[in-house]
Amino acid sequence: MSETSIPIAKLAGVCGWPIHHSLSPVLHNYWLRQAGIRGAYVPFMVKPWDAIRAFRSLKQTTISGVNVTLPLKTSAFRAADEATADAHRIGVANCLFMRDGKLIAHNTDMEGFISPLLQRRGQAWLRQRTALVIGAGGAARAVIGALIAEGVPEIIIVNRTDETADDLVTQAGLPSFYSLPWAQRSLATHRAGLIINASAAGMSGYPALDIDLSRAPETGLVYDLIYTPERTPLIAQAEAQGLETIGGLSMLIGQARPSFRLFYGVEAPASDPSDLLRQALMTGQR
Ligand code: NAP
């Protein structure tokens, strides 16, 4: 067999610092097995201070692409030769892939966030709601970008550090998107048919999100991006009040599907991998 005819396994992965906690390898390798693709998806530790050089060196390899997680999403965006419209919109990348020899920055968090919401309630519902977004980091940018793209008519942002939320509003420059002081977060739920926690509060190792949902509309939906733990204190509070909820596992799966398509050239299998991910979360297996 000549050297050129040896089939090369399709290789992709996820970069972070640290990266041992990521569920993405469990998910992508499960899909690879299900789809019968000869390939692998591996975690890569990438030093934040050397991330741009590390990402650019991908062009010298046969790695077809990588997902990028904290704290490397801005470096990934900066390292790329070009960026897709979704990555440009929010200025951070959670996905790098190769196209015609160039390194392309993309963001699948927007699609990952919005898909479960569209499946659950649809675009017409979204276009009649006020959304309250809690947090102003990278995930909040993706959430806000997706809500604007879907035509949500009013978006309120609150963040523990008020100035960061104010900066996002100034950058966007849209009359339908404004900030309220952190001190008014519980009051703001009164107007919000859709309440989204895009902050780190409630994640394992962090304090619970300090918010009172008792004023939220009865028909409201609470969406927590966090999936460690799966049932966050915010989800528990919402359920106790009879509010509908969406947890972070849905977004994790939603953002992984377009990445899989880009890395391996086929759609991820349609079956729901939530139970597999729950098991990995419980056992700590990666
Ligand atoms: P990030 O850029 O580091 O931003 C963190 C945000 O959380 C900031 O707005 C920060 O406020 C706020 N925050 C931190 N501790 C807080 C506390 N104790 N009380 C209130 N607010 C607090 O992180 P990120 O990338 O946006 O991620 C945010 C969360 O989304 C993480 O929990 C992450 O796991 C989750 N996420 C989930 C998915 C998914 O697929 N399900 C995807 C992306 C992210 P300050 O500005 O005041 O620091």
Side-chain angles (χ1 to χ4, degrees):
M1 191 183 259
S2 75
E3 197 183 311
T4 49
S5 63
I6 298 169
I8 295 174
K10 288 193 173 174
L11 184 63
V14 58
C15 302
W17 182 272
I19 197 58
H20 60 275
H21 63 282
S22 175
L23 281 179
S24 295
V26 175
L27 182 52
H28 283 267
N29 286 313
Y30 168 74
W31 278 336
L32 284 171
R33 284 194 301 276
Q34 275 209 323
I37 295 171
R38 190 166 163 269
Y41 184 100
V42 292
F44 296 111
M45 287 273 275
V46 173
K47 296 171 180 135
W49 53 92
D50 215 7
I52 293 194
R53 202 164 63 99
F55 291 142
R56 287 188 179 149
S57 73
L58 286 170
K59 290 199 280 188
Q60 273 77 55
T61 72
T62 54
I63 296 170
S64 51
V66 289
N67 287 119
V68 179
T69 186
L70 289 176
L72 309 172
K73 292 183 181 184
T74 305
S75 301
F77 181 78
R78 290 199 189 129
D81 300 310
E82 289 172 11
T84 62
D86 278 358
H88 255 305
R89 199 168 280 135
I90 53 179
V92 285
N94 76 333
C95 178
L96 287 168
F97 65 97
M98 237 56 78
R99 190 171 60 201
D100 302 331
K102 287 185 174 165
L103 187 64
I104 313 292
H106 184 42
N107 199 303
T108 65
D109 276 341
M110 287 174 60
E111 185 177 339
F113 162 73
I114 209 72
S115 328
L117 204 46
L118 288 173
Q119 273 165 25
R120 190 74 75 85
R121 293 279 176 112
Q123 195 187 45
W125 182 87
L126 274 173
R127 288 192 166 176
Q128 292 161 17
R129 298 299 144 201
T130 293
L132 173 65
V133 179
I134 302 151
R141 281 171 178 265
V143 165
I144 290 157
L147 294 174
I148 292 170
E150 291 303 325
V152 173
E154 184 179 18
I155 304 167
I156 305 168
I157 182 171
V158 292
N159 188 52
R160 181 179 64 174
T161 309
D162 288 329
E163 294 74 25
T164 318
D166 298 343
D167 287 349
L168 276 189
V169 167
T170 307
Q171 279 169 32
L174 294 170
S176 58
F177 173 41
Y178 61 94
S179 57
L180 286 176
W182 180 242
Q184 290 181 26
R185 60 197 180 280
S186 296
L187 267 179
T189 63
H190 168 67
R191 300 180 53 73
L194 175 60
I195 298 166
I196 301 144
N197 179 28
S199 82
M203 199 162 101
S204 306
Y206 284 76
L209 179 64
D210 178 15
I211 194 165
D212 174 8
L213 296 176
S214 60
R215 297 176 187 82
E218 275 175 24
T219 55
L221 192 151
V222 175
Y223 190 158
D224 198 335
L225 267 52
I226 290 169
Y227 55 83
T228 47
E230 189 183 7
R231 194 165 185 269
T232 61
L234 181 72
I235 293 278
Q237 188 188 157
E239 282 176 358
Q241 242 177 262
L243 301 174
E244 202 179 324
T245 61
I246 299 180
L249 278 185
S250 313
M251 176 170 168
L252 181 75
I253 298 164
Q255 62 78 33
R257 285 190 185 282
S259 303
F260 189 90
R261 194 191 307 133
L262 287 167
F263 300 156
Y264 303 108
V266 294
E267 292 295 330
S271 56
D272 181 2
S274 299
D275 283 342
L276 174 91
L277 297 176
R278 278 186 196 110
Q279 202 185 348
L281 277 175
M282 276 191 309
T283 59
Q285 204 181 340
R286 296 290 186 268

